[in-house]
Amino acid sequence: MFNFFKKKTDVPTTTSYLPLKVREVVKETADTVTIYFEQPEPYLDYQPGQFLTVVLEMDGKEQRRSYSLCTSPFVDPFPGISVKRVPNGLFSNYLNDKVFPGKTLNVLRPLGNFTTTFHSKNCRHFFMIAGGSGITPIMGLIKSVLVNEPSSRVTLIYCSRSEEEIIFSSQLHLLELANPDRLNIIHNLSKPSATWTGLQGRLDSELLTQLFTQAENEPRYEEEYFVCGPEGLMQTAQQVLEQLGVDQNRIHSESFFSAAAQQAHEDAMAGITSGLLSRDVTIQLEGEVHLVTVEPGKTILEAGLAAGLNMPYSCQSGLCTACRGRLSAGEVKMDEDAGLSEKELAAGYVLCCVSRPLSDGIDVTIE
Ligand SMILES: Cc1cc2nc3c(=O)[nH]c(=O)nc-3n(C[C@H](O)[C@H](O)[C@H](O)COP(=O)(O)OP(=O)(O)OC[C@H]3O[C@@H](n4cnc5c(N)ncnc54)[C@H](O)[C@@H]3O)c2cc1C
Ligand code: FES
């Protein structure tokens, strides 16, 4: 195990770039690579399950995408991200095809709440439900649980298309062999080969219900649920957990894609918008107050960036919370709010990247 006892200095802020040098690129499957980085100086300070924002200049324009760290700061000497191709995707194809050892990628400092704190005295049963590239943050979490909490155990339910498309297949197998009593991996394939004997088809709620209710017979463990994958899988898991009355505080979910935010963005590009008025919005950022005008069809983030403000952001889909602000006056409509908890919504938090003004007099503070 590696320990890094170096002093943390000059920690980059939410908006300053951190150049990371690529150390190794590992081909996980035909359409997924893991990019490992050299440790920067000072070392990269992150929690398992958090993500990096990769910043690239594409066609003369700065673009950003979020990628979860697949590594554990407690186990892995070098931080890494795993990237699965999306058909016609700008970043995912670039990162699969054009990145090699020695190249430098600019990132923003690690962010995200898809994590937990660890303690050797904890006795928890983690249910991890992953689909496709959703295994990425879960991989870092599993490794961290196994090394930090000797009395905790993990059940991973991992949905992939076929045997060949199981990301981290051999790493997971080795982890299971090394932790036979503490790690149980259940693969579910939607398009397996004829020789596959495990679960197949769509992951159904009955199986999840069965697995989750087993936990009732193990009172010594406290259950914790982590879900990351395509929207359908996440909905199924969420519904089952709701039906079982699981406390929302024990459920952690991370989405990589929002169809609702994508649709709203496409509508805005096509000029289809419910708001017809320009709205004045006050943005408090880094201790300064700015008045910007949000044109019809634009978001508060877009207006802030157009006005030259150093607004923090990453996914631009209402998922990652990098652009979170607190609304103290006025009303907005969010295209997507999956990144915010019920508590945050009740406290007036909004995500500027998907917030469209519904009134004048909006005042938002970026914290
Ligand atoms: C918090 C967070 C963590 C993430 N972690 C990872 C990770 O660990 N590994 C990883 O591979 N990705 C991850 N993503 C997704 C990643 O940020 C990009 O969205 C993804 O790589 C696609 O970007 P792109 O530039 O290739 O595609 P784009 O050029 O942005 O999109 C191309 C087309 O594909 C569609 N599209 C984009 N993504 C999806 C999708 N997931 N499903 C269906 N259609 C889609 C778009 O709507 C568009 O039509 C994460 C996202 C978030 C918000
Ligand atoms: S930039 Fe990710 S939620 Fe707004």
Side-chain angles (χ1 to χ4, degrees):
M1 196 198 311
F2 278 70
N3 278 312
F4 298 102
F5 291 115
K6 288 183 194 157
K7 211 172 135 224
K8 293 175 213 166
T9 52
D10 299 332
V11 175
T13 66
T14 36
T15 49
S16 66
Y17 300 153
L18 172 68
L20 290 184
K21 192 169 172 193
V22 175
R23 176 186 169 87
E24 193 185 0
V25 180
V26 175
K27 199 155 179 67
E28 303 286 355
T29 67
D31 64 0
T32 303
V33 289
T34 297
I35 301 170
Y36 290 98
F37 300 102
E38 300 286 2
Q39 278 290 352
E41 184 64 46
Y43 67 88
L44 191 75
D45 192 15
Y46 69 98
Q47 299 302 312
Q50 287 194 307
F51 64 88
L52 292 177
T53 303
V54 176
V55 185
L56 291 173
E57 194 162 308
M58 298 274 193
D59 299 327
K61 204 174 151 222
E62 185 195 285
Q63 305 260 11
R64 299 181 183 188
R65 298 287 186 277
S66 328
Y67 290 100
S68 305
L69 288 142
C70 59
T71 45
S72 161
F74 307 108
V75 181
D76 296 301
F78 305 104
I81 55 172
S82 298
V83 183
K84 184 173 159 110
R85 283 183 204 274
V86 164
N88 302 318
L90 202 60
F91 271 52
S92 56
N93 288 292
Y94 176 89
L95 293 172
N96 266 269
D97 296 332
K98 299 277 186 333
V99 170
F100 45 83
K103 191 177 171 78
T104 296
L105 290 177
N106 280 331
V107 304
L108 304 183
R109 73 169 168 84
L111 286 173
N113 306 317
F114 191 62
T115 188
T116 180
T117 44
F118 300 93
H119 198 287
S120 56
K121 284 203 170 151
N122 285 346
C123 187
R124 297 189 277 181
H125 188 161
F126 289 87
F127 287 93
M128 311 276 194
I129 301 120
S133 56
I135 191 67
T136 309
I138 283 183
M139 191 70 191
L141 285 162
I142 291 176
K143 289 196 256 183
S144 304
V145 174
L146 294 175
V147 77
N148 284 317
E149 299 196 355
S151 306
S152 293
R153 51 180 296 207
V154 179
T155 299
L156 167 67
I157 302 132
Y158 183 18
C159 301
S160 310
R161 200 186 305 252
S162 63
E163 289 92 325
E164 295 74 39
E165 289 177 70
I166 300 176
I167 304 169
F168 305 130
S169 178
S170 51
Q171 266 198 67
L172 285 168
H173 184 58
L174 289 176
L175 276 178
E176 205 178 17
L177 287 179
N179 300 277
D181 303 327
R182 296 204 295 133
L183 176 60
N184 175 25
I185 301 179
I186 302 166
H187 287 286
N188 186 95
L189 302 183
S190 58
K191 291 209 168 87
S193 70
T195 54
W196 177 252
T197 52
L199 290 178
Q200 52 183 288
R202 200 169 182 272
L203 183 68
D204 65 75
S205 33
E206 241 173 75
L207 170 86
L208 284 182
T209 310
Q210 255 177 34
L211 275 169
F212 296 159
T213 42
Q214 268 173 23
E216 285 168 11
N217 305 324
E218 305 172 326
R220 76 191 181 96
Y221 291 107
E222 288 195 326
E223 288 82 38
E224 201 92 33
Y225 303 84
F226 282 80
V227 190
C228 185
E231 277 180 322
L233 175 76
M234 298 194 55
Q235 274 165 9
T236 306
Q238 187 63 41
Q239 274 162 10
V240 170
L241 291 169
E242 255 170 45
Q243 274 161 14
L244 295 174
V246 172
D247 179 353
Q248 286 295 321
N249 292 322
R250 294 190 180 279
I251 307 172
H252 313 261
S253 54
E254 184 92 297
S255 298
F256 286 180
F257 178 68
S258 162
Q262 174 72 20
Q263 188 59 52
H265 178 70
E266 280 168 16
D267 286 353
M269 296 297 278
I272 307 165
T273 163
S274 48
L276 295 171
L277 301 175
S278 299
R279 304 284 193 180
D280 285 342
V281 173
T282 303
I283 300 176
Q284 302 197 39
L285 175 67
E286 295 168 341
E288 288 185 11
V289 180
H290 309 267
L291 186 66
V292 302
T293 302
V294 185
E295 302 296 344
K298 295 289 176 194
T299 63
I300 294 177
L301 175 70
E302 286 168 328
L305 291 174
L309 305 188
N310 197 18
M311 304 274 288
Y313 70 96
S314 176
C315 73
Q316 300 151 81
S317 320
L319 302 173
C320 76
T321 73
C323 64
R324 196 182 78 150
R326 196 199 278 262
L327 198 69
S328 52
E331 210 187 327
V332 303
K333 173 184 169 293
M334 278 192 273
D335 303 331
E336 173 63 86
D337 60 12
L340 293 176
S341 65
E342 278 169 23
K343 249 191 212 161
E344 287 174 306
L345 287 167
Y349 284 102
V350 293
L351 299 168
C352 293
C353 68
V354 283
S355 289
R356 300 174 196 275
L358 288 180
S359 71
D360 277 322
I362 290 170
D363 194 324
V364 64
T365 304
I366 315 284
E367 293 171 340

